[in-house]
Amino acid sequence: MLIPLTRKIFENLIPPVATGAQYAYYWGNAQSFLKRLLISVIAVVVIWLMSPIFGQGGANLQLIIGIFGALYWLWGPVALASYRNWQCRKYQYCGFWQGKVVDVYLTEDLIGQEETVNNEGELVIVENRERRINLEVGDKTGFTNLLRVPLKKEHKKIKRGQVALMLVMSNQPNLSRIEKVSDIYIPSQDVWVSDYPYLRRDEFVDISKELKQSKKQPKETPRRRNRED
């Protein structure tokens, strides 16, 4: 099932400014915070060293830029999340998609390598691997999408054949070519599968309930295969 949604609904589901969940995603852990804090310190030092360039007349401008740079640790996550939202909102059309879980399986993906020295003084390369869930969803038209994200405890409840919902984005009015997809929602298990929380999830769930009650079943158009990590 594929139901086109209005631009107003699209912009409500993916707002221009970061939501709380999106801000938390880019806030990251303590290491991420320290990196942003270091950038803030460097920015303040650079702006201070540029005092001769600003001169006395540009003192106010220098102060404003300095405050802006000093607070990068705070506003950085907002900028990153808002940019990621824009990458979705640049598409002209969107639709509510309903299909089923075609396949689900786990993998261990290599996410990085570290060089260390063992007790014998030999150089050893340690591989950092992460368990991920590979979720493939599809519908009767032949459209499929593969999403690969870090494994969470609640993902273990997902099985083949379960109903899957998501938002799809396109530059075609009839959504004949899907360019990007959002989080995947499994309503029977109340489980979300996503690396980044694109949607206002409570709003999306409400829309899914409204569409289910209205029992609208528009004719689906063939769409090209899309695979996204």
Side-chain angles (χ1 to χ4, degrees):
M1 179 174 73
L2 180 61
I3 301 176
L5 301 177
T6 65
R7 184 70 192 183
K8 182 178 180 180
I9 293 177
F10 184 22
E11 294 178 350
N12 188 45
L13 288 173
I14 304 180
V17 181
T19 63
Q22 293 168 347
Y23 183 86
Y25 175 89
Y26 274 109
W27 179 266
N29 52 25
Q31 185 177 5
S32 299
F33 169 75
L34 290 176
K35 287 181 179 179
R36 292 197 304 275
L37 187 60
L38 178 60
I39 293 174
S40 296
V41 172
I42 293 175
V44 171
V45 172
V46 170
I47 293 170
W48 177 74
L49 293 175
M50 294 175 63
S51 297
I53 298 177
F54 286 98
Q56 294 183 350
N60 291 334
L61 177 60
Q62 183 184 10
L63 177 61
I64 294 174
I65 297 176
I67 294 174
F68 189 74
L71 294 178
Y72 172 76
W73 64 270
L74 181 63
W75 60 260
V78 177
L80 293 172
S82 298
Y83 174 73
R84 193 157 181 176
N85 288 358
W86 173 82
Q87 289 180 313
C88 292
R89 290 164 60 91
K90 68 181 181 180
Y91 295 105
Q92 300 180 40
Y93 307 97
C94 78
F96 175 87
W97 180 91
Q98 176 177 314
K100 291 187 177 182
V101 176
V102 176
D103 196 8
V104 56
Y105 56 94
L106 304 180
T107 56
E108 286 194 0
D109 294 353
L110 179 65
I111 60 174
Q113 293 181 336
E114 295 181 1
E115 293 184 354
T116 185
V117 179
N118 61 18
N119 296 331
E120 298 178 356
E122 298 175 339
L123 181 65
V124 177
I125 297 178
V126 179
E127 294 184 344
N128 296 322
R129 294 185 176 272
E130 181 180 58
R131 295 192 72 192
R132 296 192 176 189
I133 182 173
N134 297 259
L135 179 64
E136 185 176 7
V137 296
D139 60 20
K140 295 180 180 178
T141 68
F143 169 80
T144 61
N145 184 80
L146 178 65
L147 185 62
R148 183 183 296 110
V149 301
L151 178 66
K152 296 182 179 179
K153 184 178 179 180
E154 58 267 26
H155 292 161
K156 296 180 180 180
K157 297 187 291 184
I158 301 175
K159 307 293 181 183
R160 293 180 183 178
Q162 292 174 341
V163 172
L165 310 176
M166 64 183 179
L167 190 74
V168 297
M169 289 151 266
S170 175
N171 284 323
Q172 303 298 323
N174 62 353
L175 304 175
S176 59
R177 179 179 176 84
I178 303 305
E179 304 288 349
K180 193 173 184 61
V181 302
S182 70
D183 326 43
I184 297 177
Y185 180 54
I186 310 296
S188 63
Q189 306 300 319
D190 192 25
V191 171
W192 289 88
V193 181
S194 174
D195 178 37
Y196 174 76
Y198 287 102
L199 301 174
R200 282 180 171 170
R201 295 180 172 180
D202 54 342
E203 297 283 347
F204 183 81
V205 171
D206 289 342
I207 290 175
S208 68
K209 291 179 180 178
E210 292 175 3
L211 293 176
K212 183 177 181 180
Q213 291 175 355
S214 65
K215 296 181 180 180
K216 293 182 178 180
Q217 299 290 338
K219 184 178 180 181
E220 296 178 334
T221 56
R223 300 183 295 283
R224 297 184 182 180
R225 185 182 181 87
N226 177 68
R227 302 182 76 87
E228 178 175 316
D229 291 346

